[in-house]
Amino acid sequence: MRFAIHSATASLVVACALLLGGPSAHAQTASPALEDAPRVDKVIFAGATNIKASVLRDSIVTQATRCRGLLLKPLCAISKSSYFVDKHDLDRAEIPRDELRLRVIYFRAGFRHATVSTVITPVEDDQVDVTFNIDEGPGTTISALRMTQLDTVLSARALRQALMPQKGDLLSLVKIDSAKSRLRGFLWDLGYGDAVIADTVRIDAATRTATLDVTIDPVHVTTIDTLVVEGNEGVSTNTVRRLIGLREGSLYRRTDMTAAQRRLYETELFRQTLIQVPDVTDSAKSVIVTVREAPFTALRTGVGFNTTQFVQAEVRLTRYDWLGGARRLDIRAVTGNLLAGQLYGKSIFGSSVPEGVGDVDDRFLTPTWEIGATLNEPFVLDARASLSFGVSTHRRSIPGIVIDRGFGANTAFTWRFANRITGSAIYQFENNRVEAGDLYFCINFGVCGLNTIQALRSAQQLSPFTLRGLAERADDALAPTRGYKAQFELEHASALTASDFRYNRASAEFSKYLPRGRSVIALHARAGWVRPSASTAEAIGLDVENNSILHPRKRFYAGGARSVRGYGENQLGPRVLTIDPMRLTAPEDSAAGFCTIASIEDRSCDPNIAESGEFIPRPLGGNTLIEASIEYRFPITQNMKAAVFVDAGSVRGQRLNQPTGNRTGITPGFGVRYNSPIGPVRLDLGIRPRLGAELPVVTQLPDSANTYRLVQLNTPKQYDPLEGGGGFLRKITSRLQLHLAIGEAW
């Protein structure tokens, strides 16, 4: 016996049949004590193997009493208050309907003969367990699939990407409907906005198989006939039309509509935006854009504190649609180091200063500031082009370490090649003067010669010209599950760009996301290369040629929450060890003697007399970088996901007065993610197999003027964080690196 049914109406048919007279396996075991709506302690799905319990649980009304959140578990254990516990009482009238809901879920998944019965079991304290006994029965499989295009529009690749169930697969109406939706989307992207996808299912009851026929009818090409803008008052209609980028006579496509909606939101000009198209089967479409404007002026202020900048205050003024045309003006002013003189050295304030700095000069404790203004012009000759200008000046400081003064300007021209694919040409001019001790320049610039350091203390210009390409084709910014992200940068700085630091730099980054059911495989790669120019030495005022001087912001660093996660932030790559000289002159429990001030001055002191725990490793960065990662993300509960990953990276560069070296690391790890309202909260634990390394050591000694001068010791340190013992537990924990962040790593 054979019959045909359209899958779009199958769920309705089976539900009505079951309600009107289909077989019912409902059975309850009740007792008089349960008549007053007992509380549901557990909901159990016995026999469910092909559909996850979480899917079944979400489809029914009967729910178990449970704690309202993972962090509230300790409170739920000691209190049954409704503030902590989400309580659910048994509703007997819903039990038969829940059975029907479960049978419909199984029917749509391809198990058309599934049956469900219910057993209610009393437990202590007037509670019950509800068990849904499920007999899934045999599945109905597809014996033949025929996909027919009335007009050949879609490629074979697009048909495959629709993920229509194939021969031998279960007859899942859910997957068929999802595939039909993808096919309609593909056709709409090509300009066939009224495409019709019809399917017919023929069931052979004897063999429990089905033939599936899918007919694809593009119907006709759809175009935008009229474009209407409503609700705008201060923003001109012409500005709204240029923002959305839709034109009369152009193809009516899904990608253009979603991009138009996104561009309206990105301007922050509107509280609400709505793009509607009347549902008529006409090839000429009317597009109605309705907006509700937001205030054109926004003023934001804030006050805070931290251990480095003490009390801080910020004021930000934004003027939207300034002088019309969706032009935007941002003005920002920030000041810090407020009350630094009174707070420095009190409690936690000033704790970020390295050991050995001693008293801090008052000039480090005077107020800092940063003032800047940015003007964005969203339309330049063409709606796809935008231009921005910015100016800024600043005075920053870290007590006892560095004072940085400077001013700068920048401009950027951006062209939108396609939806979420842009290219930019950027020029940035920056003039900086840095006041710092020798140690700062030695670590951050990688050069320790006194003549070079003296030259770096004068005002210098960093003015690169950059070409940047960006493609953001992932489905979510914080937790992507499909698509890709790609970015590349080419950067040049020379006399032609008015830069004293001269170099060529290239970098690229790519991420790909492959869905596997509810799980995701994420792939990531990053590479970088930079080469300083020998003319930098002459530009900053040095008499000798030095082809290794590079601004620290232009080096490459690896390690951290979004890099090789077995390492701390920037800790993969060439490093230098710093130490308070007093730790060398009187090391604790040292059997090898100790250094003297004289041996430190003449650099003959052997730093290996001090344990590794006395040293602070500091990254120097590198000239080349290669990173690669693979991560498998999978759900464990409705709001929790887990991940396992392997990260690898290599940073190569100039070590501190040492031969060129590189550092490579491969670190596996695992983590969990919690879906919070602000995005996934990520906790990752990376495992570092190798800990020890031979690293150069620098320290500093005070001179007669009570300032510090740099001393690099001749002998490197055999650095090993496990030095000094500590037992098996320390050997394990020292190899673990914990990272806490918002959003996926990439």
Side-chain angles (χ1 to χ4, degrees):
M1 179 179 65
R2 295 178 181 271
F3 63 94
I5 185 171
H6 291 285
S7 65
T9 61
S11 295
L12 180 60
V13 171
V14 70
C16 292
L18 293 171
L19 284 172
L20 292 176
S24 175
H26 172 58
Q28 295 189 39
T29 302
S31 71
L34 301 179
E35 295 298 325
D36 297 327
R39 188 142 298 152
V40 179
D41 183 49
K42 295 179 183 178
V43 176
I44 303 167
F45 300 96
T49 58
N50 288 284
I51 298 180
K52 292 184 177 180
S54 59
V55 176
L56 300 176
R57 188 179 300 112
D58 292 342
S59 67
I60 63 175
V61 172
T62 303
Q63 298 291 320
T65 298
R66 55 182 176 268
C67 194
R68 292 186 180 275
L70 180 65
L71 299 179
L72 296 177
K73 290 276 187 187
L75 296 175
C76 293
I78 60 176
S79 172
K80 301 303 179 183
S81 169
S82 57
Y83 289 107
F84 312 130
V85 178
D86 187 11
K87 301 176 181 179
H88 292 275
D89 294 334
L90 177 65
D91 186 346
R92 297 179 184 276
E94 287 294 339
I95 294 296
R97 290 191 280 266
D98 279 344
E99 293 176 356
L100 177 59
R101 294 180 182 107
L102 293 173
R103 293 168 66 190
V104 170
I105 289 292
Y106 271 94
F107 184 93
R108 288 180 56 79
F111 297 91
R112 297 177 169 232
H113 304 279
T115 60
V116 182
S117 63
T118 309
V119 175
I120 300 174
T121 306
V123 295
E124 59 181 0
D125 298 330
D126 196 25
Q127 297 179 350
V128 296
D129 290 343
V130 179
T131 302
F132 292 98
N133 293 308
I134 300 171
D135 182 2
E136 296 180 337
T140 301
T141 58
I142 298 173
S143 60
L145 168 66
R146 290 186 291 268
M147 299 182 68
T148 305
Q149 296 191 68
L150 299 185
D151 187 4
T152 305
V153 173
L154 295 175
S155 65
R157 182 171 179 265
L159 295 178
R160 290 194 302 270
Q161 289 179 333
L163 303 179
M164 186 69 69
Q166 300 295 304
K167 180 179 178 180
D169 293 341
L170 285 170
L171 182 63
S172 171
L173 304 185
V174 176
K175 293 182 178 180
I176 292 173
D177 290 343
S178 298
K180 289 167 60 180
S181 178
R182 294 187 193 99
L183 289 171
R184 279 191 291 267
F186 294 159
L187 288 166
W188 190 3
D189 289 342
L190 296 174
Y192 297 93
D194 291 330
V196 176
I197 313 296
D199 68 285
T200 303
V201 178
R202 292 178 176 84
I203 304 293
D204 187 334
T207 61
R208 294 192 178 93
T209 59
T211 59
L212 174 60
D213 292 300
V214 180
T215 303
I216 303 171
D217 185 3
V219 184
H220 47 232
V221 175
T222 52
T223 59
I224 297 175
D225 179 58
T226 57
L227 185 60
V228 180
V229 178
E230 299 176 345
N232 56 310
E233 298 176 359
V235 181
S236 69
T237 298
N238 184 56
T239 296
V240 177
R241 290 171 65 96
R242 296 183 72 182
L243 281 171
I244 61 178
L246 302 175
R247 298 178 182 176
E248 288 90 346
S250 61
L251 289 176
Y252 170 60
R253 299 186 298 189
R254 178 182 62 170
T255 51
D256 294 339
M257 303 297 289
T258 55
Q261 183 81 63
R262 183 171 50 255
R263 286 195 292 271
L264 288 175
Y265 275 118
E266 287 173 349
T267 64
E268 300 183 25
L269 283 169
F270 310 105
R271 291 186 186 275
Q272 294 178 344
T273 64
L274 181 63
I275 299 180
Q276 294 176 298
V277 178
D279 189 13
V280 294
T281 55
D282 190 336
S283 62
K285 302 294 184 181
S286 296
V287 178
I288 302 173
V289 182
T290 305
V291 298
R292 181 185 173 195
E293 294 172 352
F296 288 170
T297 302
L299 179 65
R300 303 175 181 87
T301 60
V303 178
F305 70 89
N306 61 39
T307 60
T308 302
Q309 293 295 314
F310 305 94
V311 179
Q312 298 170 284
E314 177 182 9
V315 177
R316 185 188 295 270
L317 174 66
T318 302
R319 185 68 171 89
Y320 300 99
D321 201 39
W322 185 56
L323 302 179
R327 195 173 289 107
R328 173 171 170 166
L329 176 66
D330 286 286
I331 300 174
R332 178 174 179 263
V334 180
T335 183
N337 261 15
L338 303 179
L339 303 179
Q342 292 79 11
L343 294 175
Y344 179 75
K346 305 290 180 63
S347 186
I348 61 174
F349 293 99
S351 59
S352 61
V353 176
E355 292 186 61
V357 167
D359 295 332
V360 172
D361 194 283
D362 289 343
R363 59 191 174 134
F364 287 101
L365 305 179
T366 57
T368 60
W369 72 81
E370 183 175 348
I371 302 173
T374 302
L375 177 64
N376 183 270
E377 176 68 56
F379 312 118
V380 181
L381 302 178
D382 190 287
R384 293 171 293 179
S386 63
L387 188 66
S388 66
F389 301 93
V391 293
S392 64
T393 181
H394 67 266
R395 179 189 186 275
R396 310 185 189 102
S397 75
I398 300 176
I401 300 176
V402 62
I403 298 174
D404 179 0
R405 298 185 181 91
F407 60 88
N410 63 80
T411 182
F413 175 80
T414 301
W415 182 272
R416 189 178 72 253
F417 293 99
N419 183 28
R420 294 193 288 175
I421 299 180
T422 59
S424 301
I426 306 165
Y427 175 71
Q428 182 170 357
F429 174 86
E430 184 179 349
N431 183 289
N432 273 43
R433 184 182 184 91
V434 177
E435 299 178 30
D438 296 350
L439 184 60
Y440 173 87
F441 292 99
C442 185
I443 293 173
N444 288 278
F445 287 84
V447 290
C448 303
L450 297 181
N451 291 337
T452 304
I453 290 175
Q454 191 60 36
L456 291 172
R457 285 195 175 99
S458 60
Q460 308 293 347
Q461 293 174 185
L462 178 64
S463 307
F465 175 76
T466 305
L467 294 176
R468 176 182 300 159
L470 179 64
E472 295 183 299
R473 290 298 185 94
D475 61 346
D476 189 274
L478 292 177
T481 60
R482 64 176 68 247
Y484 68 91
K485 298 178 183 178
Q487 178 177 320
F488 78 88
E489 284 189 358
L490 300 175
E491 196 170 325
H492 171 76
S494 66
L496 294 176
T497 64
S499 182
D500 294 327
F501 291 96
R502 300 169 182 179
Y503 58 89
N504 291 299
R505 189 177 192 267
S507 62
E509 188 169 2
F510 180 78
S511 300
K512 177 69 175 177
Y513 310 98
L514 306 173
R516 294 294 183 269
R518 297 178 62 198
S519 303
V520 178
I521 297 176
L523 307 174
H524 177 257
R526 185 166 73 108
W529 170 90
V530 62
R531 175 172 293 178
S533 172
S535 62
T536 299
E538 180 182 357
I540 65 175
L542 290 177
D543 296 331
V544 296
E545 181 177 309
N546 190 324
N547 60 2
S548 64
I549 299 176
L550 185 66
H551 198 281
R553 292 209 303 263
K554 301 305 173 182
R555 285 197 176 93
F556 293 101
Y557 300 86
R562 300 184 186 277
S563 181
V564 183
R565 283 165 282 184
Y567 290 83
E569 197 69 27
N570 298 335
Q571 289 296 320
L572 172 60
R575 295 179 297 170
V576 61
L577 298 175
T578 61
I579 187 171
D580 182 348
M582 300 306 296
R583 303 287 186 178
L584 294 172
T585 56
E588 297 180 3
D589 301 327
S590 174
F594 54 88
C595 296
T596 63
I597 295 298
S599 65
I600 295 176
E601 286 182 339
D602 65 18
R603 309 177 190 273
S604 63
C605 169
D606 184 355
N608 291 288
I609 64 172
E611 290 189 358
S612 294
E614 304 288 349
F615 295 84
I616 301 175
R618 301 183 185 275
L620 297 174
N623 293 54
T624 60
L625 164 73
I626 297 177
E627 277 186 16
S629 299
I630 181 170
E631 180 171 274
Y632 179 65
R633 305 166 184 166
F634 55 94
I636 50 178
T637 67
Q638 184 175 358
N639 291 318
M640 295 286 290
K641 292 188 297 183
V644 291
F645 57 83
V646 177
D647 300 330
S650 176
V651 182
R652 183 178 178 84
Q654 182 69 38
R655 287 187 177 182
L656 186 70
N657 288 359
Q658 297 287 328
T660 300
N662 67 346
R663 282 295 302 276
T664 300
I666 300 176
T667 64
F670 58 91
V672 295
R673 289 95 170 93
Y674 174 72
N675 293 328
S676 74
I678 60 174
V681 178
R682 175 168 57 92
L683 189 68
D684 283 337
L685 196 65
I687 304 170
R688 186 167 66 253
R690 185 179 63 182
L691 296 176
E694 183 179 85
L695 299 176
V697 177
V698 295
T699 185
Q700 51 187 0
L701 293 173
D703 58 19
S704 57
N706 201 31
T707 60
Y708 288 86
R709 55 188 175 84
L710 184 71
V711 177
Q712 180 184 350
L713 303 181
N714 294 329
T715 305
K717 166 67 179 175
Q718 300 297 325
Y719 180 72
D720 183 359
L722 297 179
E723 184 180 0
F728 176 77
L729 182 61
R730 182 175 176 231
K731 291 181 179 180
I732 296 298
T733 57
S734 295
R735 298 182 183 276
L736 304 180
Q737 183 67 48
L738 186 66
H739 300 283
L740 178 64
I742 300 293
E744 297 290 359
W746 15 265

